[in-house]
Amino acid sequence: MWQSSPPGSIYDYVRIASFSIGPDGLIEQWSRRAAGLFGMTSHEVVGRDPVEAFMPAELRDEGRRRVAEILDGKEWTGYVPFRMPGEDGAHGVAEIYVMPSETANGERAALCIVVDVRALRLVETDLAASQAIFGQSPFGFVLFGMDFTVVRANQRFATVFGGEADDHRGRTVDDYLSGPEADRLSRTLKRVLETGQAVTDLQLVGSAPGAGESRHWSMNLYRVHSGAGRPVGVAGLATDVTRRHMAAREAASARRNLALLNEAGARIGNSLDLETTARELLDVAVPGFCDLASVDLYQGLLTGEEAPPGSWGSRNPAQSVGSAELRRVAMASAVSDALSATEPESAASDGHTGPPALGSVHRYPFHSPCAVALRTGLVEDVPGDDSSFVHSTLAVPMVAHDTVVGLVQFSRTKGSESFGERDRALATELAARAAVCIDNARLYRREHERALILQRSLLPPGDPEAAGLDIACRYLPGNTATEVGGDWFDVIELPGHRTALVVGDVMGRGLRAAVAMGELRTAVRTLALLDLEPAEVLSALDEVARGLGTPGGGERSDGFGGGGGAQWPSRAAHKSREADLSEVYLATCVYAVYDPVTRRCTFANAGHLPPVVVEPGEPALLLDVPPGMPLGVGGEPFEEVEVELREGALLALYTDGLVESRDHPLDEGLEALREALTSPVRPLENVCDHVLTTLDTRHGEDDIALLMARIQGLPADAIGDWTLPREPRSVGRARELARTQLLAWDLDDLVDTTELLVSELVTNALRYGEGEIRLRLLRDRTLVCEVWDAGLVQPRRRRARDTDEGGRGLQLVGLLSAAWGSRRTPRGKTVWFELALPDGAPAAELSVEQLLSMY
């Protein structure tokens, strides 16, 4: 088949030329390639001596001898230098093959074939370099023809896929790859051949002949052209990237694990609820780490039972009762709702066996992997079941502070990778983080319950009663996410039917705040029973609070005694500890004493919010009571404010949780409280409910204490008040006045006892007191008798000797009265006793022992 030589053929690169020499030794024919090689046209060369035409002068003699030998019929091959055209007289070297010939007349001539040696050497170098790159490359090199069969492959390619390099000629991609991968490579080859766009890093997966493990290759494909630019096939350079792929997968796994741990740190432990923490763990693990998961916690942990480390799970190999009771608290699945069907069986508390359901209480068999994990604290592999779609499960104990608190199971379904060592470490870390949060929640719940029990035990039970007051109270603890606070209120009955109203708030939260609240409340009751003025009560309470905030409970001072320089370091350390502890015991408190006879209320404030008073028909007002410093600060005296309250007035004492939160400032809360209290007259219980409903009290940020009292002074006919001169006959006058008043009140049963005791108190006032004497009888829930004089000496009970004629008056008062005592007043003292009102039953007579105790 005849065809023209396309451009870019081998002859263009080799540059072969020809010319002929006639019998006369002159050039007869000159080809176009010769003209291009030597740079001389046929007009310049034909008819000339070739030696003279293009050989250097110093070689011409040798050249003529060679031409003569050729014309004599001798073939000759050699290298001949020549002048190169257009290169400033530079010399080239041509390889000439001279073949003798004959003309039509039988004369000898010669045909000369000329090759540019420099071009030939370039071609040889290119071929050698191409062969070196193709054959010695450490990468698999393959050339696909136009029909996508292998035209050529190097030895590296043959090493991977077997045989010699020539054995792969004519093979297709189906001989190397599985169906889907072969189809993908075929489509890519076709696209590269059609478009000419190279493809880099084409990832292919397959198995080398005789190897069972899967390999990964990265392949670069590009279209190959001839010298004329015509496509002749597609070349591929394949690299085994299995190790790189495994390293990338390990790196991706490590990044995923770090991301999971980071997410776990952010999401697990946001709640102090045990079940919520377990669900947070599964939210992180599914589906990022596994397909299925469940969490079991020890039943004793959930019920609040205290158990020493290790006692929740049996550790005696001789026993076969299985694990201790656990409760399934959380389950999660990314593939199916039938999570329980994939888990090992356990024994339920009712005796049934099977996978545990959410919320069920169960035990694991003693030799099961789950029970072993609970006993040993080590991760155990749970074998899969052929009938189940789960193929890999880890039973991971939840260990916190060397104590196993539960078990978490992570499972992966068929089609997912099995758990590796890195996964086991991650599972252990996830379980440990959740375990610490669960244990912290357990400890917090225990402390919270104890503090709540302590706090509730110190609050007044029900609605307290007081003379001349209608009282209602409310206490709302913060939500479960906040710790127990130090809010408290109290209603304390004082002598003379007076009542002390107290509301306080210890700064800080938790068990220590509740304990401090209890100690301060006890101190307030003790100080109140001493019948001190409100300012004096707060001053004494401030000293108590300062003592609570000092190591050892003593009074705080700036030093330990002397002022030597050697004491400075320890004094500084002591003051540092004091600062840390005293801050916990700072508290605010408002203390009020109400007298139902005068309807006057005396207030003293230690850094607390001001009381609110609502007079009938008037808007609510904040009482201007000097706030003073909080308890525990010290150094500043407290002031008193006395206010006369109208009948039916409303008094409200409260803590800051009622009027302050993050959503609104304190001023807005106080204004809202005033508006809620300024309303038509309604029952006091309804007023409390209205206040709590109107104000934003459900923020749960702090405890709320509310104490409300409606003023109901004693009626005038329930009071008997007389002034007696300082003379002996006042004793008889006092008995007469008391008898008359009791008969008017229909308290005939108390006449004799009251006369006797009034006689004793008035006699003592005459004997040991000063100034005029005042007698007052008050009838409310009990009968109270008060005797006032200007003397400051307090009465004291003593045991009289057998020979003494007196000294038994106060003993008699103590035996016959329900209660008695004395208190200081601004201008003297008051001695009082209290008698229970008769209930129709005969009065109890004194026993012989009681009578003899006076002698």
Side-chain angles (χ1 to χ4, degrees), residues 395-474:
V396 186
M398 305 177 71
V399 182
H401 309 117
D402 297 328
T403 300
V404 179
V405 299
L407 181 77
V408 57
Q409 296 184 62
F410 302 106
S411 301
R412 288 180 179 175
T413 58
K414 294 178 180 178
S416 301
E417 293 185 4
S418 300
F419 290 110
E421 288 302 319
R422 190 187 298 274
D423 295 324
R424 294 169 69 92
L426 176 61
T428 303
E429 179 65 22
L430 290 175
R433 292 195 177 195
V436 170
C437 295
I438 287 175
D439 192 55
N440 290 340
R442 176 183 67 86
L443 296 175
Y444 167 79
R445 184 174 65 179
R446 183 181 65 182
E447 180 177 346
H448 185 273
E449 290 175 352
R450 291 177 177 177
L452 190 60
I453 292 173
L454 175 62
Q455 186 183 49
R456 294 292 176 85
S457 67
L458 296 174
L459 294 175
D463 289 332
E465 296 181 356
L469 291 176
D470 181 15
I471 297 178
C473 52
R474 294 290 188 273

Side-chain angles (χ1 to χ4, degrees), residues 339-425:
L339 175 64
S340 59
T342 68
E343 297 190 0
E345 292 187 352
S346 60
S349 58
D350 57 2
H352 293 85
T353 60
L358 184 63
S360 64
V361 179
H362 61 94
R363 297 175 183 268
Y364 287 108
F366 182 79
H367 295 291
S368 65
C370 294
V372 173
L374 290 171
R375 289 195 303 272
T376 62
L378 302 176
V379 180
E380 293 290 329
D381 292 309
V382 180
D385 188 354
D386 294 339
S387 61
S388 171
F389 58 90
V390 171
H391 75 94
S392 182
T393 298
L394 294 179
V396 186
M398 305 177 71
V399 182
H401 309 117
D402 297 328
T403 300
V404 179
V405 299
L407 181 77
V408 57
Q409 296 184 62
F410 302 106
S411 301
R412 288 180 179 175
T413 58
K414 294 178 180 178
S416 301
E417 293 185 4
S418 300
F419 290 110
E421 288 302 319
R422 190 187 298 274
D423 295 324
R424 294 169 69 92

Side-chain angles (χ1 to χ4, degrees), residues 54 101 123 145 167 205 215 223 228 259-260 317 438-439 457 518 588 605 608 612 646 667 675 723:
F54 49 83
S101 62
V123 172
D167 298 338
V205 180
R215 308 294 295 178
R223 190 169 68 181
L260 277 175
I438 287 175
D439 192 55
S457 67
T588 62
N605 192 353
H608 203 79
V612 179
R646 292 167 52 187
D667 292 341
E675 293 178 0
T723 301

Side-chain angles (χ1 to χ4, degrees), residues 742-765:
L742 291 181
L743 292 176
W745 286 342
D746 295 328
L747 298 177
D748 301 11
D749 294 341
L750 300 180
V751 171
D752 294 339
T753 303
T754 304
E755 277 191 276
L756 177 60
L757 299 184
V758 166
S759 176
E760 290 292 336
L761 294 187
V762 173
T763 300
N764 284 342

Side-chain angles (χ1 to χ4, degrees), residues 25-40:
L26 302 178
I27 297 175
E28 287 186 340
Q29 295 179 339
W30 190 256
S31 67
R32 291 182 178 178
R33 287 187 177 269
L37 177 62
F38 295 104
M40 292 179 285

Side-chain angles (χ1 to χ4, degrees), residues 37-106:
L37 177 62
F38 295 104
M40 292 179 285
T41 64
S42 60
H43 297 287
E44 296 174 325
V45 176
V46 173
R48 293 183 58 187
D49 184 351
V51 176
E52 296 288 339
F54 49 83
M55 289 188 68
E58 63 273 12
L59 298 178
R60 289 176 182 174
D61 292 341
E62 180 64 20
R64 291 189 181 93
R65 185 177 64 81
R66 293 293 183 183
V67 171
E69 292 177 354
I70 292 170
L71 294 177
D72 287 339
K74 184 179 179 180
E75 291 186 0
W76 181 80
T77 301
Y79 296 99
V80 177
F82 65 93
R83 293 189 299 273
M84 299 180 65
E87 296 189 15
D88 299 329
H91 290 74
V93 178
E95 183 178 3
I96 300 179
Y97 176 45
V98 182
M99 297 177 292
S101 62
E102 292 182 357
T103 64
N105 298 326

Side-chain angles (χ1 to χ4, degrees), residues 172-192:
T172 65
V173 294
D174 296 308
D175 296 322
Y176 304 105
L177 301 173
S178 60
E181 292 291 270
D183 293 342
R184 190 160 65 93
L185 179 56
S186 297
R187 292 193 298 270
T188 305
L189 289 172
K190 183 177 180 181
R191 185 173 70 252
V192 171

Side-chain angles (χ1 to χ4, degrees), residues 390-660:
V390 171
H391 75 94
S392 182
T393 298
L394 294 179
V396 186
M398 305 177 71
V399 182
H401 309 117
D402 297 328
T403 300
V404 179
V405 299
L407 181 77
V408 57
Q409 296 184 62
F410 302 106
S411 301
R412 288 180 179 175
T413 58
K414 294 178 180 178
S416 301
E417 293 185 4
S418 300
F419 290 110
E421 288 302 319
R422 190 187 298 274
D423 295 324
R424 294 169 69 92
L426 176 61
T428 303
E429 179 65 22
L430 290 175
R433 292 195 177 195
V436 170
C437 295
I438 287 175
D439 192 55
N440 290 340
R442 176 183 67 86
L443 296 175
Y444 167 79
R445 184 174 65 179
R446 183 181 65 182
E447 180 177 346
H448 185 273
E449 290 175 352
R450 291 177 177 177
L452 190 60
I453 292 173
L454 175 62
Q455 186 183 49
R456 294 292 176 85
S457 67
L458 296 174
L459 294 175
D463 289 332
E465 296 181 356
L469 291 176
D470 181 15
I471 297 178
C473 52
R474 294 290 188 273
Y475 177 79
L476 299 180
N479 57 36
T480 55
T482 60
E483 296 183 274
V484 171
D487 294 15
W488 92 91
F489 64 91
D490 208 348
V491 178
I492 307 171
E493 293 188 54
L494 300 178
H497 288 312
R498 294 172 303 128
T499 303
L501 304 176
V502 189
V503 170
D505 185 3
V506 177
M507 299 181 186
R509 308 194 65 81
L511 185 59
R512 297 186 67 191
V515 171
M517 178 268 285
E519 294 178 330
L520 291 177
R521 179 179 179 272
T522 303
V524 168
R525 295 189 71 87
T526 303
L527 295 170
L529 294 178
L530 295 177
D531 213 354
L532 302 176
E533 296 296 326
E536 294 176 340
V537 170
L538 291 186
S539 296
L541 194 63
D542 177 64
E543 293 297 327
V544 173
R546 295 175 67 192
L548 294 178
T550 303
E555 184 179 355
R556 294 181 298 182
S557 61
D558 292 335
F560 292 116
Q567 294 178 335
W568 291 352
S570 59
R571 180 166 55 200
H574 178 70
K575 293 179 67 176
S576 176
R577 291 194 302 271
E578 286 183 351
D580 294 339
L581 294 173
S582 62
E583 184 178 359
V584 178
Y585 292 107
L586 292 177
T588 62
C589 180
V590 60
Y591 184 89
V593 175
Y594 170 69
D595 188 344
V597 178
T598 62
R599 291 199 308 274
R600 287 182 175 273
C601 192
T602 304
F603 297 91
N605 192 353
H608 203 79
L609 296 175
V612 179
V613 173
V614 186
E615 300 280 358
E618 300 292 335
L621 296 176
L622 297 176
L623 287 182
D624 187 14
V625 180
M629 299 298 292
L631 300 176
V633 175
E636 293 293 333
F638 297 98
E639 301 182 39
E640 293 181 357
V641 172
E642 188 176 66
V643 178
E644 184 175 353
L645 302 173
R646 292 167 52 187
E647 185 77 16
L650 192 64
L651 174 64
L653 306 178
Y654 51 93
T655 57
D656 56 358
L658 180 67
V659 294
E660 186 178 22

